[in-house]
Amino acid sequence: KNQVEQSPQSLIILEGKNCTLQCNYTVSPFSNLRWYKQDTGRGPVSLTIMTFSENTKSNGRYTATLDADTKQSSLHITASQLSDSASYICVVSVGNYGGSQGNLIFGKGTKLSVKP
Amino acid sequence: DVKVTQSSRYLVKRTGEKVFLECVQDMDHENMFWYRQDPGLGLRLIYFSYDVKMKEKGDIPEGYSVSREKKERFSLILESASTNQTSMYLCASSPRLAGYNEQFFGPGTRLTVL
């Protein structure tokens, strides 16, 4: 069964600290993996996307890694800011449907709170 | 700039009412989606559409229907709202391209059914 598991469920850190969020998946065939940031009461916004051949991708203070062998991804946030408080959702795309899109597997998300 | 808009941010309806949630995208995307998001369950796909007048069931279509008469507009319909349909509803769109399949989300509609 295709699944995406994220950990931890929630995390509280102090402003300025670093943190790492985890995503493990059992999806086959794998197409790509994306991390979304979702502010409270808003829709998700894409942070990074990685295909099978990419093992790291950065977007400012956000760095995502992908290990396709172990089927694990992580999202590292450097020098956290209060505005990083949000839910972070890992999404894995199944195969390549050429555009037909009923093939995304969503993790349940990690809720990050950054405290001053 | 990419934009997906939803007709309401907050909506309160009574059990048994017919509810329409509207979504409009201005990116000329072929694909459009409706999700619901509940605490502890994440996003779940209700319906999607890959072309005008085309629709496909997602994981949880029961109690919902959709309409796509124009490319830019995708409507979610609750024929007879029930309390278990209280949720955050998110619309998304994406281009029909192989590969990255990025979806762009709207701001969401928080629906409460009393």
Side-chain angles (χ1 to χ4, degrees):
Chain A
K1 182 183 175 184
N2 289 324
Q3 280 187 315
V4 174
E5 301 283 345
Q6 291 187 244
S7 62
Q9 275 190 311
S10 61
L11 183 62
I12 301 174
I13 62 172
L14 292 176
E15 188 179 10
K17 298 295 186 184
N18 304 336
C19 68
T20 300
L21 314 180
Q22 299 289 346
C23 173
N24 297 338
Y25 61 92
T26 54
V27 174
S28 182
F30 174 88
S31 176
N32 58 69
L33 184 147
R34 182 176 288 113
W35 284 93
Y36 279 93
K37 178 187 179 189
Q38 184 177 20
D39 293 317
T40 301
R42 300 287 181 178
V45 174
S46 180
L47 290 174
T48 65
I49 179 170
M50 291 177 290
T51 60
F52 186 86
S53 58
E54 298 171 296
N55 56 24
T56 188
K57 185 75 72 80
S58 290
N59 178 356
R61 294 179 297 101
Y62 301 100
T63 299
T65 64
L66 174 65
D67 185 333
D69 291 331
T70 62
K71 298 187 176 182
Q72 295 180 326
S73 176
S74 64
L75 180 69
H76 186 75
I77 304 174
T78 303
S80 61
Q81 300 176 358
L82 298 179
S83 59
D84 293 329
S85 294
S87 288
Y88 292 84
I89 303 170
C90 176
V91 184
V92 178
S93 180
V94 181
N96 184 349
Y97 284 64
S100 178
Q101 298 270 311
N103 59 335
L104 298 183
I105 311 298
F106 287 81
K108 292 183 171 59
T110 292
K111 186 175 174 65
L112 174 67
S113 297
V114 181
K115 302 294 186 185
Chain B
D1 200 15
V2 162
K3 199 158 185 184
V4 179
T5 57
Q6 295 183 227
S7 50
S8 305
R9 292 299 309 278
Y10 301 94
L11 209 52
V12 180
K13 295 292 181 181
R14 297 217 173 267
T15 301
E17 278 192 80
K18 190 169 186 176
V19 182
F20 292 88
L21 303 183
E22 303 284 339
C23 175
V24 177
Q25 50 96 3
D26 65 0
M27 298 161 283
D28 201 35
H29 286 168
E30 288 80 10
N31 303 318
M32 296 189 74
F33 310 82
W34 275 107
Y35 296 90
R36 64 177 283 176
Q37 186 177 31
D38 300 288
L41 296 178
L43 275 82
R44 293 179 291 167
L45 181 64
I46 304 172
Y47 268 98
F48 68 100
S49 168
Y50 52 88
D51 206 345
V52 175
K53 296 191 186 296
M54 306 301 289
K55 60 184 179 184
E56 294 280 347
K57 291 181 180 179
D59 300 318
I60 51 165
E62 296 79 19
Y64 303 94
S65 62
V66 290
S67 172
R68 188 142 180 228
E69 297 297 318
K70 294 184 177 182
K71 189 177 185 180
E72 68 272 16
R73 190 179 297 269
F74 192 34
S75 302
L76 180 70
I77 304 151
L78 288 66
E79 293 289 341
S80 178
S82 63
T83 55
N84 63 12
Q85 292 179 309
T86 291
S87 185
M88 168 73 103
Y89 290 87
L90 289 163
C91 174
S93 73
S94 72
R96 186 183 297 147
L97 293 173
Y100 280 176
N101 301 337
E102 177 171 359
Q103 292 191 11
F104 298 88
F105 285 86
T109 295
R110 184 161 294 283
L111 172 67
T112 301
V113 182
L114 301 176

